[in-house]
Amino acid sequence: MAYSQIEDTKDSTKVKDAIENYLIKASEAINTARLSNALHNITQAKELAVANQDKTYRAKVSRILAELYLELGDLNSAKEQITKAIKIQNEEQNEIALANSYNVCGSIHTKLKDFKNAEKHLQIASSLVEKNNLETLEGPVKINIGLLALEMNDPEEAIIHFNKGLPKIESLGQSYYKAKLYTNKAKAQMVLGSLDEAIATNDLAMQIGTEMGYSEIQSESFELYSKIYEKKEDFKTSLINLRFHQQFKDSLFNINKEIIAQEARAKLNIGDDKVKIEELTEENKQQQKSLKLGRLTTILSIALITILSLLTLSLYKNNNLRARANELLQNKNTELILAKENAERASEAKVQFLSTITHELRTPLYAVTGLTHLLLEESPTPNQKEHLNSLKFSGEYLLSLINNILDLNKLEANKVEIENTSFNLQKRINDVLIALGKSAKDRNNKLHYEFDKSIPSKLKGDPLKISQILINLIGNSIKFTQNGDIWIKVKMINHIENKVFLNFEIRDNGVGISDKKQQSIFENFTQGSVQINRKFGGTGLGLSIVKNLLSLMDSEIKLESELGQGSRFHFDLKFDVFEDVVSNYQEEAKKIDYSVMIDKKVLVVEDNKINQLITRKILEKNKMICDVADNGDIAINKTKNNEFDLILMDIHMPGISGIEATKQIREFNTEIPIVALTAVTLDDNLDEFYNNGFNDIIPKPYKTEEFFTKLHKALSKKTISS
């Protein structure tokens, strides 16, 4: 009997250690924005806690889950989970656990703008920390009190609390909280107008975020840089940092936050049902024990009455249990129906999200490509021209990458189409190396480029996807190599009639990849190891995208690597040799009679001030007269009261949309050409545009050749009809 108890104690200890380990991993995953990983670990911990009937760990799971919901932005679910945790911990009088939970609860109420309750809970947390000498929690509580002051428009008070928490955080080496403190202190300094101090403080946060791989910290820091430089009226630097912020923000884990939240609710609600079933089972066991005790007592007095009573009670209990079982089954059916409806809503939300994010991502890209074009037209120096061409190339690549992310479902279903346009492969690779040159130099790496001179200068294929493949592979080599060499080789394998077969090789002498990891390195969200992820960062999507893109091009990526010795990636591609014929907008643009556009009045309907500036400058540079309307209502009034030769209409604007504005204009003016100048996805919307009165569509960001070709076409038709 004693031996059995010892074994049970050992098993219980193992289970608790496993739960603790899962919760530590979940906390680390939340701090580094690996939310799917966090959800997996919380789910494992909760299943063990429920199976082991351990209320203490169920409360701790609820607290970590509340932190996950807070990160996902599901504040109501976060509040519900932290309330469960606090209830159990109060029953157990666990003050150490309560200090953590009240700290999280205060943070949630701050986000909900419930400042009174936020202050109340944070004061309780602070008292418990002081009473129990919880040094590790002292800094985080000070941060949350400072955040509350900042939300209540008291930045000076916020800075005082941040400064009080910093020494303890530094002494304990709490790098995540240190970075979080610096980010929010910089926000407070920005509100106070101390912009240079804010930049210096934000630099410290960015340094920690980069070194430790905290993606959320890096994203917040880039966003904060953008706001600070905007206040300093350094709009160029502001725009650059905004672009970096968008890259972090719209990475796949940020795009899938709503889906992760839906999955969390679906998985962990099932866990709650298990808890209810376990409680009912436990209650039933207790009742059975009471019945046995009652039976023994009653037998001593009247045996016959006891037997009859027990039979009656047994029938009664069986009926109750059957009724409860039926009720549970009905509840389960209802929950399954709700889960199905939630999944359908999540799918609809994803479609709507992709449509909205298309506009939000392409709008700043329009500013980048537009400003680059304007700068290239203003006679830059050779050195500046090289940088501007690199910026233009990077913009094109970023647009391609955004399209791949937005079309992720198509990519996995092999529905992404491969373009077939002419391009200079050697120049394209040179552009890639120029764009990556600074990264290589920063890590003291040398790039060695060998290009077979027998390869024809012009080929037909998809240059953007070729660039995307090479940027991923060369970028990986740069990231995982320090003070080393990287070789890029392109050689011709065969040349048959008008087709060439080329071999691409990217080799480095960096950290290498173990044999075990080589089996899974091309899967989504996979990297060499957890240590590599923390040291070098990244999402683990690059090689997966390379594999999918090469598969679409009827090729396969091959890997040879040895840990500590470097890696060699190589693949073969087939191209058609380009025969020089007149094609597309570049050739059409050369034939344009620009005199048709001189003194033509154009109304630009656009709510984004930067886009207004770029479009106005491009039009006025070609001697056109430009007027601007900030929204659809203003556009309608200006069209009624003025004569215009052409209207450029954005789609997503405050008030009425561009489509609705066009419909109203067509009610009193059916002749004026209206061209949609928009960043919305066009795949499924073309008929809607034409049916509502648009003459043509120019997707943003556009190439200037396409822009002027379509403007010339619209103005020429108007002149002929007049």
Side-chain angles (χ1 to χ4, degrees), residues 439-448 477-487 508-511 536:
S439 298
K441 186 176 180 182
D442 290 343
R443 296 187 62 77
N444 198 26
N445 292 324
K446 292 182 180 179
L447 300 177
H448 306 277
S477 289
I478 292 171
K479 181 163 63 172
F480 297 112
T481 304
Q482 178 114 24
N483 303 320
D485 296 275
I486 297 162
W487 293 267
D508 61 68
N509 54 8
V511 296
F536 298 102

mmCIF file of all heavy atoms in Angstrom, residues 439-448 477-487 508-511 536:
data_model
loop_
_atom_site.group_PDB
_atom_site.id
_atom_site.type_symbol
_atom_site.label_atom_id
_atom_site.label_comp_id
_atom_site.label_asym_id
_atom_site.label_seq_id
_atom_site.Cartn_x
_atom_site.Cartn_y
_atom_site.Cartn_z
ATOM 1 N N SER A 439 22.999 44.273 -46.209
ATOM 2 C CA SER A 439 22.858 43.215 -45.202
ATOM 3 C C SER A 439 24.119 42.356 -45.144
ATOM 4 O O SER A 439 24.587 41.992 -44.060
ATOM 5 C CB SER A 439 21.647 42.334 -45.532
ATOM 6 O OG SER A 439 20.470 43.083 -45.502
ATOM 7 N N ALA A 440 24.681 42.034 -46.328
ATOM 8 C CA ALA A 440 25.897 41.233 -46.362
ATOM 9 C C ALA A 440 27.059 41.985 -45.722
ATOM 10 O O ALA A 440 27.845 41.419 -44.954
ATOM 11 C CB ALA A 440 26.227 40.856 -47.803
ATOM 12 N N LYS A 441 27.145 43.276 -46.035
ATOM 13 C CA LYS A 441 28.236 44.084 -45.484
ATOM 14 C C LYS A 441 28.115 44.199 -43.972
ATOM 15 O O LYS A 441 29.115 44.141 -43.245
ATOM 16 C CB LYS A 441 28.220 45.476 -46.127
ATOM 17 C CG LYS A 441 29.394 46.351 -45.731
ATOM 18 C CD LYS A 441 29.360 47.677 -46.477
ATOM 19 C CE LYS A 441 30.542 48.548 -46.061
ATOM 20 N NZ LYS A 441 30.504 49.874 -46.748
ATOM 21 N N ASP A 442 26.878 44.363 -43.474
ATOM 22 C CA ASP A 442 26.667 44.469 -42.029
ATOM 23 C C ASP A 442 27.155 43.226 -41.293
ATOM 24 O O ASP A 442 27.596 43.315 -40.151
ATOM 25 C CB ASP A 442 25.182 44.697 -41.725
ATOM 26 C CG ASP A 442 24.720 46.092 -42.149
ATOM 27 O OD1 ASP A 442 25.599 46.951 -42.369
ATOM 28 O OD2 ASP A 442 23.497 46.294 -42.261
ATOM 29 N N ARG A 443 27.069 42.075 -41.920
ATOM 30 C CA ARG A 443 27.517 40.827 -41.280
ATOM 31 C C ARG A 443 28.909 40.421 -41.748
ATOM 32 O O ARG A 443 29.354 39.305 -41.531
ATOM 33 C CB ARG A 443 26.508 39.707 -41.546
ATOM 34 C CG ARG A 443 25.150 39.975 -40.916
ATOM 35 C CD ARG A 443 24.211 38.785 -41.027
ATOM 36 N NE ARG A 443 24.692 37.602 -40.339
ATOM 37 C CZ ARG A 443 24.649 37.427 -39.024
ATOM 38 N NH1 ARG A 443 24.145 38.373 -38.250
ATOM 39 N NH2 ARG A 443 25.099 36.319 -38.481
ATOM 40 N N ASN A 444 29.589 41.357 -42.439
ATOM 41 C CA ASN A 444 30.983 41.150 -42.879
ATOM 42 C C ASN A 444 31.098 39.914 -43.774
ATOM 43 O O ASN A 444 32.036 39.123 -43.655
ATOM 44 C CB ASN A 444 31.919 41.033 -41.671
ATOM 45 C CG ASN A 444 33.374 41.268 -42.056
ATOM 46 O OD1 ASN A 444 33.664 41.956 -43.042
ATOM 47 N ND2 ASN A 444 34.294 40.703 -41.298
ATOM 48 N N ASN A 445 30.135 39.739 -44.679
ATOM 49 C CA ASN A 445 30.153 38.630 -45.629
ATOM 50 C C ASN A 445 30.559 39.127 -47.018
ATOM 51 O O ASN A 445 30.217 40.245 -47.405
ATOM 52 C CB ASN A 445 28.779 37.959 -45.713
ATOM 53 C CG ASN A 445 28.409 37.241 -44.440
ATOM 54 O OD1 ASN A 445 29.258 36.654 -43.778
ATOM 55 N ND2 ASN A 445 27.133 37.276 -44.077
ATOM 56 N N LYS A 446 31.254 38.282 -47.776
ATOM 57 C CA LYS A 446 31.629 38.610 -49.153
ATOM 58 C C LYS A 446 30.742 37.827 -50.113
ATOM 59 O O LYS A 446 30.552 36.623 -49.956
ATOM 60 C CB LYS A 446 33.100 38.257 -49.398
ATOM 61 C CG LYS A 446 34.083 39.140 -48.633
ATOM 62 C CD LYS A 446 35.524 38.766 -48.974
ATOM 63 C CE LYS A 446 36.509 39.649 -48.212
ATOM 64 N NZ LYS A 446 37.916 39.284 -48.527
ATOM 65 N N LEU A 447 30.203 38.547 -51.109
ATOM 66 C CA LEU A 447 29.361 37.911 -52.122
ATOM 67 C C LEU A 447 30.202 37.647 -53.378
ATOM 68 O O LEU A 447 30.847 38.553 -53.901
ATOM 69 C CB LEU A 447 28.171 38.799 -52.469
ATOM 70 C CG LEU A 447 27.215 39.134 -51.316
ATOM 71 C CD1 LEU A 447 26.125 40.082 -51.799
ATOM 72 C CD2 LEU A 447 26.594 37.882 -50.744
ATOM 73 N N HIS A 448 30.187 36.391 -53.865
ATOM 74 C CA HIS A 448 30.929 36.013 -55.072
ATOM 75 C C HIS A 448 29.904 35.609 -56.131
ATOM 76 O O HIS A 448 29.153 34.655 -55.940
ATOM 77 C CB HIS A 448 31.878 34.854 -54.777
ATOM 78 C CG HIS A 448 32.811 35.113 -53.616
ATOM 79 N ND1 HIS A 448 33.986 35.812 -53.747
ATOM 80 C CD2 HIS A 448 32.704 34.780 -52.290
ATOM 81 C CE1 HIS A 448 34.589 35.885 -52.559
ATOM 82 N NE2 HIS A 448 33.822 35.279 -51.660
ATOM 83 N N SER A 477 21.316 32.793 -46.578
ATOM 84 C CA SER A 477 22.758 32.590 -46.465
ATOM 85 C C SER A 477 23.413 33.746 -45.722
ATOM 86 O O SER A 477 24.295 33.554 -44.886
ATOM 87 C CB SER A 477 23.373 32.445 -47.865
ATOM 88 O OG SER A 477 23.005 31.219 -48.449
ATOM 89 N N ILE A 478 22.978 34.986 -46.022
ATOM 90 C CA ILE A 478 23.540 36.158 -45.333
ATOM 91 C C ILE A 478 23.205 36.107 -43.852
ATOM 92 O O ILE A 478 24.043 36.366 -42.987
ATOM 93 C CB ILE A 478 23.002 37.459 -45.972
ATOM 94 C CG1 ILE A 478 23.562 37.629 -47.393
ATOM 95 C CG2 ILE A 478 23.367 38.680 -45.125
ATOM 96 C CD1 ILE A 478 22.929 38.756 -48.174
ATOM 97 N N LYS A 479 21.939 35.750 -43.529
ATOM 98 C CA LYS A 479 21.493 35.758 -42.139
ATOM 99 C C LYS A 479 22.229 34.725 -41.301
ATOM 100 O O LYS A 479 22.575 34.973 -40.143
ATOM 101 C CB LYS A 479 19.979 35.515 -42.083
ATOM 102 C CG LYS A 479 19.421 35.530 -40.662
ATOM 103 C CD LYS A 479 17.917 35.695 -40.640
ATOM 104 C CE LYS A 479 17.175 34.566 -41.291
ATOM 105 N NZ LYS A 479 15.729 34.639 -41.105
ATOM 106 N N PHE A 480 22.516 33.545 -41.900
ATOM 107 C CA PHE A 480 23.119 32.467 -41.122
ATOM 108 C C PHE A 480 24.627 32.342 -41.358
ATOM 109 O O PHE A 480 25.219 31.306 -41.064
ATOM 110 C CB PHE A 480 22.418 31.139 -41.444
ATOM 111 C CG PHE A 480 20.972 31.131 -41.062
ATOM 112 C CD1 PHE A 480 19.962 31.086 -42.021
ATOM 113 C CD2 PHE A 480 20.603 31.202 -39.730
ATOM 114 C CE1 PHE A 480 18.639 31.086 -41.654
ATOM 115 C CE2 PHE A 480 19.274 31.199 -39.358
ATOM 116 C CZ PHE A 480 18.295 31.150 -40.310
ATOM 117 N N THR A 481 25.245 33.395 -41.923
ATOM 118 C CA THR A 481 26.695 33.408 -42.123
ATOM 119 C C THR A 481 27.244 34.711 -41.567
ATOM 120 O O THR A 481 26.680 35.778 -41.810
ATOM 121 C CB THR A 481 27.051 33.293 -43.623
ATOM 122 O OG1 THR A 481 26.435 32.112 -44.160
ATOM 123 C CG2 THR A 481 28.559 33.219 -43.817
ATOM 124 N N GLN A 482 28.337 34.635 -40.837
ATOM 125 C CA GLN A 482 28.997 35.832 -40.288
ATOM 126 C C GLN A 482 30.481 35.716 -40.590
ATOM 127 O O GLN A 482 31.107 34.694 -40.373
ATOM 128 C CB GLN A 482 28.776 35.930 -38.776
ATOM 129 C CG GLN A 482 29.460 37.121 -38.138
ATOM 130 C CD GLN A 482 28.444 38.123 -37.590
ATOM 131 O OE1 GLN A 482 27.319 37.772 -37.296
ATOM 132 N NE2 GLN A 482 28.823 39.366 -37.484
ATOM 133 N N ASN A 483 31.051 36.845 -41.118
ATOM 134 C CA ASN A 483 32.473 36.873 -41.464
ATOM 135 C C ASN A 483 32.814 35.729 -42.424
ATOM 136 O O ASN A 483 33.841 35.058 -42.267
ATOM 137 C CB ASN A 483 33.342 36.762 -40.208
ATOM 138 C CG ASN A 483 33.048 37.865 -39.203
ATOM 139 O OD1 ASN A 483 32.841 39.012 -39.597
ATOM 140 N ND2 ASN A 483 33.009 37.526 -37.924
ATOM 141 N N GLY A 484 31.971 35.497 -43.395
ATOM 142 C CA GLY A 484 32.176 34.365 -44.297
ATOM 143 C C GLY A 484 32.003 34.747 -45.756
ATOM 144 O O GLY A 484 32.052 35.921 -46.139
ATOM 145 N N ASP A 485 31.774 33.721 -46.586
ATOM 146 C CA ASP A 485 31.644 33.914 -48.033
ATOM 147 C C ASP A 485 30.361 33.268 -48.520
ATOM 148 O O ASP A 485 29.937 32.222 -48.004
ATOM 149 C CB ASP A 485 32.841 33.288 -48.760
ATOM 150 C CG ASP A 485 34.153 33.970 -48.406
ATOM 151 O OD1 ASP A 485 34.460 34.990 -49.042
ATOM 152 O OD2 ASP A 485 34.865 33.496 -47.478
ATOM 153 N N ILE A 486 29.776 33.914 -49.538
ATOM 154 C CA ILE A 486 28.547 33.396 -50.158
ATOM 155 C C ILE A 486 28.758 33.404 -51.670
ATOM 156 O O ILE A 486 29.133 34.431 -52.244
ATOM 157 C CB ILE A 486 27.329 34.251 -49.778
ATOM 158 C CG1 ILE A 486 27.099 34.179 -48.259
ATOM 159 C CG2 ILE A 486 26.085 33.766 -50.501
ATOM 160 C CD1 ILE A 486 26.239 35.287 -47.734
ATOM 161 N N TRP A 487 28.547 32.251 -52.295
ATOM 162 C CA TRP A 487 28.767 32.114 -53.732
ATOM 163 C C TRP A 487 27.417 31.981 -54.441
ATOM 164 O O TRP A 487 26.574 31.170 -54.053
ATOM 165 C CB TRP A 487 29.619 30.891 -54.033
ATOM 166 C CG TRP A 487 31.033 30.998 -53.535
ATOM 167 C CD1 TRP A 487 32.124 31.444 -54.197
ATOM 168 C CD2 TRP A 487 31.507 30.624 -52.217
ATOM 169 N NE1 TRP A 487 33.242 31.389 -53.399
ATOM 170 C CE2 TRP A 487 32.909 30.895 -52.185
ATOM 171 C CE3 TRP A 487 30.889 30.112 -51.080
ATOM 172 C CZ2 TRP A 487 33.680 30.660 -51.064
ATOM 173 C CZ3 TRP A 487 31.658 29.872 -49.964
ATOM 174 C CH2 TRP A 487 33.039 30.144 -49.948
ATOM 175 N N ASP A 508 27.141 28.729 -49.091
ATOM 176 C CA ASP A 508 27.768 29.561 -48.061
ATOM 177 C C ASP A 508 28.574 28.683 -47.118
ATOM 178 O O ASP A 508 28.502 27.454 -47.177
ATOM 179 C CB ASP A 508 26.694 30.323 -47.258
ATOM 180 C CG ASP A 508 25.740 29.402 -46.528
ATOM 181 O OD1 ASP A 508 26.199 28.726 -45.579
ATOM 182 O OD2 ASP A 508 24.542 29.345 -46.886
ATOM 183 N N ASN A 509 29.377 29.327 -46.281
ATOM 184 C CA ASN A 509 30.143 28.590 -45.270
ATOM 185 C C ASN A 509 29.690 29.002 -43.871
ATOM 186 O O ASN A 509 30.485 29.242 -42.982
ATOM 187 C CB ASN A 509 31.648 28.794 -45.444
ATOM 188 C CG ASN A 509 32.019 30.276 -45.469
ATOM 189 O OD1 ASN A 509 31.174 31.138 -45.219
ATOM 190 N ND2 ASN A 509 33.273 30.572 -45.757
ATOM 191 N N GLY A 510 28.353 29.103 -43.706
ATOM 192 C CA GLY A 510 27.751 29.541 -42.444
ATOM 193 C C GLY A 510 27.523 28.396 -41.469
ATOM 194 O O GLY A 510 28.271 27.413 -41.433
ATOM 195 N N VAL A 511 26.413 28.501 -40.689
ATOM 196 C CA VAL A 511 26.191 27.563 -39.582
ATOM 197 C C VAL A 511 25.795 26.162 -40.047
ATOM 198 O O VAL A 511 25.984 25.192 -39.317
ATOM 199 C CB VAL A 511 25.092 28.105 -38.634
ATOM 200 C CG1 VAL A 511 25.538 29.392 -37.998
ATOM 201 C CG2 VAL A 511 23.766 28.297 -39.373
ATOM 202 N N PHE A 536 18.466 34.413 -34.691
ATOM 203 C CA PHE A 536 18.414 35.059 -36.004
ATOM 204 C C PHE A 536 17.037 35.596 -36.366
ATOM 205 O O PHE A 536 16.905 36.373 -37.303
ATOM 206 C CB PHE A 536 18.861 34.073 -37.097
ATOM 207 C CG PHE A 536 20.286 33.594 -36.935
ATOM 208 C CD1 PHE A 536 20.562 32.355 -36.415
ATOM 209 C CD2 PHE A 536 21.338 34.416 -37.291
ATOM 210 C CE1 PHE A 536 21.871 31.917 -36.269
ATOM 211 C CE2 PHE A 536 22.639 33.984 -37.155
ATOM 212 C CZ PHE A 536 22.916 32.742 -36.639
#
